[in-house]
Amino acid sequence: MGKANDELPPRSWFPPGLIGDIAYFIMRAAPHPNPQIALTGAIALFAGITGKAYNTYTFAGLNVYILVLAKTAMGKEAANSGISKLLAAISAKIPAAKTFKGPMLISSAGLLKWMAENPSCVSVVGEFGYKLKAWHSPKASPNDEMLKAVLLDLYGKSGHDNSVDPMAYSDAAKSTGPIKAPALSLLCESVPSVVNEALNEQAVASGFVPRFYVVYVEGNRARFQEDLIGTPPDDLVDRLAAVAAKCLELNSLQKVRVVAISDDAKAMFRDFSDWITDQVNASSSEVQRELLSRAHLKAVKLASLQAVACSFENPVVSVAEVDWAIHWVQEQTAKLLSQFENGEMGFVGGNEVMQQNEVRRAFQECIQSDYDKVLKTNYRGPRTMHLMQIVTHSYLSNRLYRLPTFKLDPKGPSQAIQRAIRGLVDNGELEEVGAVELWDYYGEARRAKAYREPVKNTKSKLRLENGGITFDL
């Protein structure tokens, strides 16, 4: 392996079975590989193929909605590329397998027409954050409203005994009959900032966001992979083609295989469901209640997919699948909840929670940075003042002025910065240093402003005494 590949995780980083093998291929085929992105692509592809043919022990289909959030140039396109390569390879053996690649999300009528003919598929949606903004805008078009409603409905209709009701349009050519157990899977990608701005409590309350596995891709961009794989291994193609052939057969006969589950695995899911119920009953946050509401279903779907990936002829969910699935779901839910709790969701302009968080970050950045560095950020105070962990207003203003949450504030950035700082002063997190102290100790003009943490909020405090610096413990 080349130098770049030495940095990649081994095959054992991924789960066993076909999902892990698909993910490993996607990662090895990516110019800038990322294991998290590769895994989401593998899960989405496998769900697109098996979503209708297999059901969980709770009789839900195995379709999934996944939203991958990663910074620009992290390699998000690798998942779509890997899916396309694998479907092309198995379609060469089984032509009907090409129907597992779903359509673009343009209109509800077009989507339902496709699902009527191709009831199990995965659609890959790029720049999904902009679609979310359009769908959840107060000025959303009727087409956007209808498409969102159809996606909400399709998610829960993949179970064998379910169907989507007929849709009648003024244009008869767009009308559809009932669709039995359609299994649409989505793999959506976007940068976090656009999605964070698009999502708010209303988007959660509508049930749209809770349907998604929301995966935040962390870390830095990987180095270019010189010895990347161009085509899928024959063994992987053969095994995936066998699963595709089985699913196409079941789908054509309108039959379904229910994934079995061991008693111990079922007990783990029962405990997980009870834990969710306790959390929901104890929470006063509607966001938390909604995000947790489908966590059990998402974990059951994921564990069942993994069981099929390990043995599609006789899939059985074991403790190992349950443990992996619950961990995956809990991790994502906790991360998404933290985004709401930190005020990072919804339109950022004027978001006072986010503004205060930015002040906190800028304050800590200043006191933890070298004096020479903060001088370049308009600190405007002597070294002794910085050693005393006093942060000037000029520094905070310089750091915060261009951030979207301040720049887009209806009152303007200057007033927004002052309001955020005043909020932290009022709640006791910061205190303003008196003008007399600034002048007597540091020679700063009386009109200058500066802030520090109150003594009661710190374990120790720097203090000037007799021209030297000591600690108050």
Side-chain angles (χ1 to χ4, degrees):
M1 296 178 73
K3 180 179 180 182
N5 285 334
D6 292 341
E7 301 175 359
L8 298 180
R11 169 61 183 84
S12 58
W13 189 90
F14 300 101
L18 263 173
I19 287 179
D21 292 339
I22 294 168
Y24 190 65
F25 162 71
I26 292 175
M27 182 183 70
R28 288 298 321 282
H32 296 279
N34 183 286
Q36 289 177 285
I37 292 172
L39 181 57
T40 59
I43 293 170
L45 171 59
F46 204 71
I49 294 173
T50 63
K52 177 179 172 67
Y54 291 85
N55 277 191
T56 69
Y57 77 100
T58 59
F59 307 109
L62 302 191
N63 65 311
V64 298
Y65 288 3
I66 302 176
L67 173 55
V68 180
L69 300 178
K71 294 179 290 186
T72 302
M74 286 290 289
K76 295 187 291 292
E77 67 284 352
N80 188 21
S81 176
I83 288 172
S84 297
K85 289 178 180 179
L86 284 163
L87 284 178
I90 65 174
S91 296
K93 296 175 176 291
I94 307 170
K98 64 179 182 293
T99 62
F100 289 127
K101 187 68 178 287
M104 297 177 64
L105 301 183
I106 297 176
S107 70
S108 57
L111 177 59
L112 289 173
K113 281 285 189 181
W114 174 275
M115 296 303 299
E117 298 294 328
N118 311 284
S120 188
C121 62
V122 56
S123 285
V124 181
V125 187
E127 303 297 341
F128 189 65
Y130 294 104
K131 287 188 178 294
L132 283 176
K133 290 178 72 172
W135 291 343
H136 292 94
S137 167
K139 299 180 181 180
S141 69
N143 180 67
D144 287 336
E145 292 280 6
M146 181 61 73
L147 181 54
K148 182 178 72 174
V150 167
L151 290 174
L152 284 166
D153 192 37
L154 283 173
Y155 178 81
K157 294 298 178 67
S158 57
H160 184 61
D161 294 329
N162 294 323
S163 64
V164 171
D165 294 334
M167 298 288 288
Y169 293 85
S170 57
D171 182 351
K174 295 181 179 179
S175 298
T176 63
I179 307 172
K180 182 174 175 58
L184 172 68
S185 290
L186 296 178
L187 176 61
C188 309
E189 58 90 356
S190 182
V191 293
S193 59
V194 177
V195 169
N196 287 0
E197 186 176 328
L199 294 186
N200 51 31
E201 293 187 12
Q202 180 183 359
V204 175
S206 71
F208 195 73
V209 178
R211 285 165 165 78
F212 280 83
Y213 302 91
V214 181
V215 180
Y216 285 84
V217 178
E218 300 175 342
N220 298 319
R221 182 189 189 191
R223 292 189 178 96
F224 181 76
Q225 183 173 205
E226 294 178 353
D227 56 348
L228 54 83
I229 298 175
T231 57
D234 291 340
D235 176 66
L236 175 58
V237 174
D238 290 342
R239 291 161 57 217
L240 190 56
V243 175
K246 181 68 174 180
C247 292
L248 287 167
E249 177 189 1
L250 290 170
N251 294 346
S252 67
L253 297 173
Q254 291 292 343
K255 292 184 177 181
V256 69
R257 285 286 306 273
V258 175
V259 180
I261 184 169
S262 71
D263 290 340
D264 289 343
K266 188 179 288 188
M268 286 181 68
F269 272 135
R270 190 182 308 119
D271 290 343
F272 185 49
S273 178
D274 290 344
W275 176 83
I276 290 171
T277 299
D278 291 341
Q279 295 295 308
V280 168
N281 290 338
S283 177
S284 60
S285 166
E286 287 302 316
V287 169
Q288 183 175 5
R289 292 166 67 91
E290 287 288 347
L291 290 180
L292 286 172
S293 65
R294 285 181 174 81
H296 176 262
L297 173 61
K298 291 194 291 188
V300 171
K301 282 175 175 264
L302 191 59
S304 300
L305 279 168
Q306 176 57 17
V308 177
C310 290
S311 176
F312 75 94
E313 290 287 4
N314 185 34
V316 180
V317 175
S318 69
V319 168
E321 283 83 35
V322 177
D323 184 63
W324 175 70
I326 288 177
H327 177 78
W328 215 63
V329 171
Q330 283 183 317
E331 185 177 51
Q332 294 159 17
T333 305
K335 177 65 175 179
L336 190 56
L337 272 172
S338 72
Q339 299 290 301
F340 278 97
E341 291 169 355
N342 293 335
E344 296 180 26
M345 291 299 195
F347 179 65
V348 297
N351 186 321
E352 294 188 26
V353 174
M354 185 183 293
Q355 289 172 347
Q356 290 188 5
N357 284 338
E358 293 294 352
V359 173
R360 293 185 183 100
R361 276 191 275 268
F363 186 93
Q364 292 300 320
E365 177 190 76
C366 181
I367 64 177
Q368 293 170 13
S369 297
D370 293 336
Y371 177 68
D372 292 338
K373 180 178 179 180
V374 300
L375 274 183
K376 298 176 182 178
T377 317
N378 211 27
Y379 182 75
R380 293 184 183 176
R383 186 182 298 272
T384 51
M385 196 161 82
H386 181 250
L387 286 171
M388 292 287 288
Q389 299 185 353
I390 294 173
V391 180
T392 63
H393 188 91
S394 60
Y395 176 90
L396 294 174
S397 181
N398 185 278
R399 279 284 291 106
L400 302 171
Y401 195 87
R402 293 178 179 82
L403 296 180
T405 187
F406 294 102
K407 189 176 181 179
L408 300 176
D409 191 282
K411 297 289 186 180
S414 296
Q415 288 192 39
I417 292 169
Q418 292 179 22
R419 182 182 64 219
I421 294 173
R422 177 53 55 189
L424 296 180
V425 171
D426 290 345
N427 69 23
E429 289 187 57
L430 297 179
E431 66 179 14
E432 185 172 348
V433 181
V436 173
E437 180 179 347
L438 286 176
W439 176 257
D440 289 348
Y441 283 104
Y442 311 110
E444 286 297 291
R446 293 180 185 273
R447 65 178 181 275
K449 286 187 175 182
Y451 311 92
R452 64 186 166 205
E453 293 177 321
V455 173
K456 62 183 177 63
N457 285 351
T458 59
K459 293 181 179 179
S460 63
K461 210 59 181 167
L462 287 165
R463 177 167 53 86
L464 277 177
E465 187 174 88
N466 298 325
I469 298 173
T470 62
F471 285 92
D472 285 332
L473 297 176

